Amino acid sequence: MERRVAEQLRSALGPLGLEAHAFKVGWYNAVLQPGFHLPYPDDTLAFVVLSTPSMFDKALKPFVNKERLKIIRDPVDQCVSHHLSRVKEKFPDQRVDVMFDYEMLPSRKPKFLAQTAAHVAGAAYYYQRKDVKLDPWGKKKIFGVCIHPKYGGWFAIRGLLLFPDIEVPFLEQPAPIDCVSAEEKRIELLEQFNFHWQDGRYRDIIEVKERYSEEQKVYFATPPAERFRLLGLSQ
């Protein structure tokens, strides 16, 4: 069942520059405090959805051109929401719950921890402070970051698709590819991400096969309120 769903998602999302990676809810809940658990049985089938560098041209620009008069909030969020809602229609006999990376619970906690989901699904390796043996940061707060084996840091985690009626007790968990295995490289990655994230150098911590276009870099480097203009939209 999981394989059939995965193939349908691949055929629907791949041409849009989106990837879907399967995981069991229990894998995710096992590594988090109860306050962050997803409220589903452990064997529930879920997918984490990533946007790759090609999403900008394959999905966002066509979406903006088509929906030009209707865009009232963040164009990328609206584009992803549109396409994941359409994916739900491909499963008329299944309940499909969608969570987006920007959604919050009433407690102001995120609905899900995106980087943890990507890691347990084997989609991208979540490098954290605990992955460094000789910690050089003392009392500084250090945030972790996911690195994709193909795109480095040139990708984003956009949402979850959950299938509450499908249980996959025998699904095997893939290990994420540890593409930043050297201690000094991990320190460099976390240093760049935490203290120099604006210059984007952390994204190229490994040799990548594809990165954002110059147009896309400018778009994401622009303050959100000014991005409408870059797409030819009025706010």
Side-chain angles (χ1 to χ4, degrees):
M1 188 63 168
E2 174 272 330
R3 198 163 291 167
R4 192 163 76 244
V5 173
E7 285 171 1
Q8 286 180 271
L9 290 177
R10 199 173 296 117
S11 66
L13 298 176
L16 301 168
L18 299 171
E19 291 182 353
H21 297 262
F23 68 97
K24 288 202 302 188
V25 165
W27 302 346
Y28 174 91
N29 288 348
V31 297
L32 292 171
Q33 298 294 324
F36 289 103
H37 284 185
L38 294 170
Y40 299 85
D42 281 353
D43 288 336
T44 303
L45 177 63
F47 290 83
V48 62
V49 178
L50 315 180
S51 62
T52 72
S54 66
M55 187 274 285
F56 193 80
D57 285 322
K58 289 180 176 177
L60 181 64
K61 286 166 135 186
F63 173 78
V64 167
N65 288 334
K66 189 177 176 189
E67 307 289 331
R68 189 170 293 277
L69 299 178
K70 302 179 194 171
I71 293 181
I72 53 172
R73 52 187 171 84
D74 183 87
V76 172
D77 289 348
Q78 204 163 336
C79 171
V80 172
S81 173
H82 167 79
H83 286 298
L84 294 192
S85 297
R86 289 192 67 183
V87 162
K88 286 177 66 172
E89 297 167 10
K90 295 188 178 294
F91 302 94
D93 301 325
Q94 299 289 347
R95 178 180 152 201
V96 185
D97 294 344
V98 185
M99 294 182 186
F100 297 103
D101 65 302
Y102 52 82
E103 290 186 298
M104 297 289 209
L105 295 166
S107 64
R108 301 309 296 159
K109 286 180 183 173
K111 275 199 172 180
F112 73 99
L113 298 183
Q115 301 201 101
T116 299
H119 186 92
V120 301
Y125 200 107
Y126 184 23
Y127 292 97
Q128 301 177 72
R129 186 173 196 159
K130 64 183 177 62
D131 295 311
V132 171
K133 293 186 183 74
L134 299 173
D135 185 325
W137 298 294
K139 294 183 178 178
K140 289 179 182 174
K141 177 81 171 171
I142 299 295
F143 295 97
V145 59
C146 270
I147 294 296
H148 191 287
K150 183 177 177 182
Y151 306 116
W154 300 101
F155 78 104
I157 304 157
R158 298 295 179 185
L160 297 185
L161 294 168
L162 297 118
F163 292 78
D165 300 329
I166 302 178
E167 296 206 342
V168 284
F170 302 111
L171 188 64
E172 292 187 16
Q173 184 171 10
I177 296 173
D178 180 6
C179 46
V180 189
S181 55
E183 171 91 351
E184 63 272 18
K185 273 299 203 185
R186 290 181 177 186
I187 291 172
E188 182 185 342
L189 169 64
L190 293 174
E191 286 270 343
Q192 289 180 359
F193 179 70
N194 280 272
F195 308 120
H196 309 285
W197 62 268
Q198 296 98 327
D199 63 26
R201 280 182 297 151
Y202 78 91
R203 298 179 189 270
D204 286 312
I205 195 69
I206 63 169
E207 190 173 324
V208 300
K209 293 186 170 63
E210 192 180 348
R211 57 172 58 85
Y212 291 174
S213 64
E214 290 306 313
E215 180 185 16
Q216 192 172 174
K217 286 179 191 173
V218 169
Y219 178 83
F220 286 115
T222 300
E226 296 169 29
R227 291 175 182 172
F228 291 87
R229 181 177 49 78
L230 295 179
L231 293 172
L233 300 170
S234 57
Q235 197 170 348

